[in-house]
């Protein structure tokens, strides 16, 4: 009987070993467009005061852009002015996407912290526009396999870039213009461009120059999703109220610990 018990325990231990967690899938990472003759002009770190000017310049040129929004970076996405800006971009046909909540370096965070940064800005876009973004851009362009795994769990793809205007690096507006001149002269099949709506000279000086040069070279100005021939959103529904008092009652995916699988309030979705 004792020998039988030892066998049972051994089999149980063997079962525990064989039941080790399976490796998670990794999200696709895109750094280049795939549709020939397209340019995806993307703008990070908003919503910000420059959004209307950027949107209007693109629309006047017959083009569309992509805005990677933070929840609380240069301002709170739930502020009335920023809600209006996010809606304005979306209603004008531009793509809205996730740049995470607080612009933290995701590659330095834990599994739950990464999800917390992701879901809070996703929830804001759900409530403001009624959309679940299909694309996420990690702050600073930094990601690791944990970030890719978290993005895959959330059904999102990671978007980087293959051209940097340098506006967030402190280069002058003229240098940013020169960078656009160079890439237009090289004339790659596609361009996935990084810009920042929070840099004052980007909408007033750099963007008009870039649009003129790019269109003059025959490029079509499209959203990120269009330049990849993919859908911009996982789903589209009705916008909700900005009131966060009933935050969790309207969530299709309530916040929970992705480590334990238990429902818990990680942080309130307010600024």
């Amino acid at each position: 009987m004792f020998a039988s018990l030892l066998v049972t325990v051994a089999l149980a231990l063997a079962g525990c070993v064989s039941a080790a967690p399976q490796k998670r899938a990794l999200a696709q990472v895109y750094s280049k467009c795939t549709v020939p003759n397209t340019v995806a002009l993307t703008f990070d770190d908003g919503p910000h005061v420059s959004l209307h000017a950027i949107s209007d310049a693109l629309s006047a040129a017959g083009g569309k852009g992509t805005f990677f929004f933070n929840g609380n970076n240069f301002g709170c996405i739930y502020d009335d002015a920023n809600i209006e800006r996010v809606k304005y971009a979306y209603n004008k046909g531009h793509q809205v996407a996730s740049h995470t909540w607080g612009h933290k370096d995701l590659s330095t965070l834990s599994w739950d912290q990464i999800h917390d940064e992701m879901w809070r800005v996703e929830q804001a876009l759900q409530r403001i526009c009624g959309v679940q973004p299909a694309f996420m851009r990690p702050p600073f362009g930094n990601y690791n396999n944990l970030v890719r795994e978290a993005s895959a769990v959330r059904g999102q793809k990671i978007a980087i870039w293959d051209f940097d205007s340098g506006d967030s690096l402190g280069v002058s507006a003229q240098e940013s213009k020169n960078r656009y001149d160079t890439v237009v002269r090289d004339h790659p099949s596609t361009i996935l461009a990084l810009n920042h709506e929070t840099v004052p000279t980007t909408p007033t000086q750099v963007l008009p120059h870039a649009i003129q040069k790019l269109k003059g070279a025959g490029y079509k100005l499209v959203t990120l999703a269009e330049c990849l021939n993919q859908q911009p959103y996982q789903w589209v529904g009705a916008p909700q109220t900005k009131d966060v008092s009933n935050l969790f009652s309207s969530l299709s995916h309530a916040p929970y610990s992705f480590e334990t699988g238990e429902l818990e309030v990680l942080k309130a979705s307010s600024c």
Side-chain angles (χ1 to χ4, degrees), residues 5-270:
L5 179 60
L6 288 177
V7 171
T8 301
V9 172
L11 290 174
L13 291 174
C16 290
V17 172
S18 63
Q22 297 297 308
K23 188 175 181 180
R24 304 182 186 98
L26 299 177
Q28 181 69 46
V29 178
Y30 291 98
S31 61
K32 291 182 178 293
C33 297
T34 58
V35 177
N37 210 42
T38 60
V39 173
L41 293 173
T42 68
F43 302 88
D44 287 9
D45 292 358
H48 198 60
V49 293
S50 298
L51 185 145
H52 284 77
I54 294 171
S55 171
D56 292 348
L58 290 168
S59 296
K64 302 297 180 186
T66 302
F67 292 88
F68 284 93
F69 289 131
N70 290 128
N72 190 19
N73 187 11
F74 283 81
C76 179
I77 198 170
Y78 285 114
D79 289 345
D80 288 341
N82 283 332
I83 288 176
E84 189 278 332
R85 289 170 183 136
V86 174
K87 287 183 176 180
Y88 189 87
Y90 178 72
N91 290 336
K92 291 295 182 178
H94 305 296
Q95 182 179 349
V96 300
S98 167
H99 198 36
T100 73
W101 183 257
H103 204 275
K104 298 177 181 178
D105 185 345
L106 299 182
S107 66
T108 68
L109 302 184
S110 69
W111 179 249
D112 280 353
Q113 289 171 330
I114 292 169
H115 282 284
D116 186 47
E117 283 293 301
M118 291 177 173
W119 80 261
R120 287 198 290 157
V121 74
E122 292 166 19
Q123 172 65 4
L125 294 177
Q126 291 173 24
R127 299 180 72 82
I128 295 170
C129 299
V131 299
Q132 174 69 3
F135 290 89
M136 183 278 293
R137 172 169 286 164
F140 315 105
N142 291 347
Y143 64 90
N144 53 22
N145 278 353
L146 198 63
V147 175
R148 292 183 66 185
E149 290 170 1
S151 297
V153 166
R154 308 193 70 78
Q156 292 185 331
K157 306 171 187 72
I158 294 175
I160 311 298
W161 56 86
D162 59 14
F163 170 82
D164 186 351
S165 70
D167 58 356
S168 70
L169 304 177
V171 306
S172 66
Q174 185 58 54
E175 172 59 24
S176 290
K177 292 180 183 180
N178 293 343
R179 291 188 180 197
Y180 272 106
D181 290 345
T182 299
V183 74
V184 168
R185 185 169 58 249
D186 294 342
H187 205 89
S189 175
T190 66
I191 304 171
L192 205 174
L194 172 67
N195 307 275
H196 293 77
E197 64 172 288
T198 54
V199 178
T201 54
T202 291
T204 59
Q205 299 182 46
V206 179
L207 182 59
H209 179 83
I211 289 175
Q212 179 186 19
K213 291 292 185 177
L214 292 167
K215 285 185 65 68
Y219 286 108
K220 184 177 181 181
L221 307 180
V222 300
T223 66
L224 171 69
E226 289 173 323
C227 92
L228 294 171
N229 195 28
Q230 296 190 24
Q231 294 299 313
Y233 309 112
Q234 297 184 56
W235 49 261
V236 177
Q240 302 169 37
T241 174
K242 79 165 187 174
D243 181 13
V244 297
S245 62
N246 62 342
L247 177 66
F248 303 136
S249 64
S250 61
L251 278 170
S252 58
H253 300 287
Y256 62 96
S257 169
F258 284 83
E259 192 68 40
T260 66
E262 296 177 358
L263 185 68
E264 61 178 23
V265 177
L266 298 178
K267 292 180 183 176
S269 223
S270 58

